[in-house]
Amino acid sequence: ASSYGPAPATTTVENVTEKGFWYKIDEFSYQDGVRIGEESISWMAVSEGDHVLADGTKISSGTTLVNNSEKTEVEFQQSFDDDPVIFTESINNSDLALVTRKDDVTEDGFSAKVQTEEGKQHNYQETEISWIAIENAESEVFTIGEQSVNHEFTEIDSVEGFNQGDDVFLADMQTMNGANTANISYDTDDEGNLYIQVDEETSKDQETWHVYEEVGYLIAAQGSYDLYEKIKIMNMKIKTQMMILSCITILNMAIIAL
């Protein structure tokens, strides 16, 4: 999400159906729950499974159960040529704000867990998250990549002319180098440059310094995109759609709102 409001926050997706979903900006319990002004949220919905775009870009998506005590391993059904970029989202309906974190990203899978605010640690036995993995390669559809980012706003080197009214921006940490509960916030300037930071919450202490994390990002035009799902048994392709809009599983659909 954007960073117009000064308080750290995350996003939560709820009430998922085949027609849509609810989402909210979720402040932590030590805050007042009121945002100053409006924030911008981008979201992506992908049919669950393994897909290929018309330009050959590989995409996989699904859901998995994780907790906040240890990392859970997720294996891809299709293998990527290189380490993909992973986006994750909590899709539970709890009143507790959760941050999803990832680590150990390879071409075969990744590991994930959730984090709660540090000042009021809760033992989450199991909660569901959505995930979308996108091939980190040159694409005719996306601008996709990774950059090292810490607690200070850092400009994304390869992005110019971002238009918040027409374009979608997603960013998510790919590493867990720092253990403190944190999320990604972004900002823009009048020239269309994008800036991102690792944004720690401050329920336990006021210190927000964070080590460098690898942050994956995606930029695309708003709209619907054709996906082709490979069905090995029948040796055919089934056409579905991916929606990317600005503003988890929908039955068989993974949704990310960041």
Side-chain angles (χ1 to χ4, degrees):
S2 57
S3 57
Y4 301 121
T10 185
T11 54
T12 300
V13 172
E14 302 176 359
N15 303 325
V16 179
T17 73
E18 70 276 9
K19 295 181 179 180
F21 61 96
W22 292 85
Y23 66 91
K24 66 177 178 178
I25 297 174
D26 211 0
E27 290 191 349
F28 298 95
S29 64
Y30 70 94
Q31 298 161 335
D32 60 11
V34 178
R35 301 301 289 178
I36 299 175
E38 293 184 346
E39 304 282 7
S40 295
I41 292 179
S42 297
W43 61 268
M44 173 187 290
V46 180
S47 299
E48 189 171 7
D50 300 324
H51 311 277
V52 179
L53 288 174
D55 69 349
T57 301
K58 293 180 180 179
I59 298 176
S60 293
S61 64
T63 61
T64 191
L65 293 173
V66 301
N67 58 51
N68 68 340
S69 61
E70 60 185 2
K71 295 185 290 186
T72 299
E73 293 186 5
V74 179
E75 293 185 2
F76 303 133
Q77 294 303 306
Q78 72 170 341
S79 181
F80 291 85
D81 295 332
D82 295 298
D83 298 352
V85 172
I86 313 292
F87 301 99
T88 55
E89 176 66 273
S90 167
I91 54 174
N92 78 72
N93 57 3
S94 170
D95 292 333
L96 185 66
L98 297 176
V99 171
T100 59
R101 296 289 300 272
K102 292 157 296 301
D103 205 4
D104 311 314
V105 178
T106 72
E107 64 272 19
D108 298 315
F110 65 99
S111 61
K113 66 180 295 186
V114 291
Q115 291 181 312
T116 59
E117 62 187 74
E118 294 181 50
K120 187 186 292 184
Q121 285 293 332
H122 297 261
N123 184 20
Y124 246 82
Q125 297 298 324
E126 252 183 6
T127 188
E128 190 172 23
I129 65 169
S130 288
W131 58 267
I132 298 174
I134 303 178
E135 189 171 21
N136 188 359
E138 186 174 347
S139 171
E140 298 174 5
V141 179
F142 307 130
T143 298
I144 191 166
E146 293 186 20
Q147 188 155 327
S148 294
V149 178
N150 65 2
H151 56 282
E152 298 180 336
F153 272 107
T154 302
E155 183 178 358
I156 299 180
D157 299 330
S158 60
V159 176
E160 294 181 358
F162 174 76
N163 187 328
Q164 190 155 284
D166 298 323
D167 297 332
V168 169
F169 175 67
L170 301 174
D172 216 355
M173 280 182 277
Q174 309 296 294
T175 55
M176 204 180 300
N177 298 329
N180 289 356
T181 302
N183 211 351
I184 295 295
S185 297
Y186 81 89
D187 201 358
T188 62
D189 60 23
D190 294 337
E191 285 73 43
N193 299 308
L194 276 166
Y195 303 85
I196 54 178
Q197 69 166 163
V198 178
D199 193 12
E200 289 191 3
E201 56 87 25
T202 55
S203 61
K204 186 177 181 180
D205 55 55
Q206 296 301 305
E207 175 269 314
T208 59
W209 185 92
H210 200 93
V211 299
Y212 278 93
E213 305 278 4
E214 287 301 310
V215 176
Y217 62 85
L218 176 146
I219 299 171
Q222 297 186 45
S224 298
Y225 298 82
D226 290 336
L227 295 171
Y228 297 89
E229 185 171 1
K230 293 183 176 179
I231 308 299
K232 296 181 180 178
I233 297 176
M234 300 177 65
N235 194 28
M236 63 181 293
K237 294 181 179 180
I238 295 177
K239 181 177 176 182
T240 58
Q241 280 197 328
M242 172 175 64
M243 297 189 69
I244 306 179
L245 296 172
S246 187
C247 214
I248 239 187
T249 290
I250 293 187
L251 293 184
N252 289 318
M253 187 168 288
I255 292 188
I256 306 298
L258 299 169

